[in-house]
């Protein structure tokens, strides 16, 4: 194998991970609520 093969793949992984985390941080969080009927016996 060529020298630096693992180092290149590790660097590529770190770059993809950083881009994913940067994008994830800027997305708004979704808050969901469950609408329940007034009378839960129905």
């Amino acid at each position: 194998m060529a020298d630096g093969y693992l180092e290149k793949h590790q660097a590529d992984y770190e770059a993809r991970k950083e881009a994913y985390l940067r994008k994830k941080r800027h997305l708004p969080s979704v808050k969901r609520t469950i609408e329940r009927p007034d009378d839960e016996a129905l």
Side-chain angles (χ1 to χ4, degrees):
M1 294 197 132
D3 291 333
Y5 176 80
L6 293 176
E7 289 82 3
K8 176 165 178 22
H9 281 273
Q10 181 68 23
D12 291 344
Y13 164 76
E14 293 292 335
R16 287 194 316 270
K17 179 180 173 184
E18 183 60 34
Y20 164 75
L21 291 175
R22 191 178 320 116
K23 181 180 177 186
K24 181 181 174 187
R25 274 186 241 127
H26 293 297
L27 293 176
S29 61
V30 177
K31 303 214 180 208
R32 297 185 177 146
T33 58
I34 300 173
E35 295 182 17
R36 297 182 183 263
D38 295 335
D39 185 10
E40 292 189 12
L42 294 176

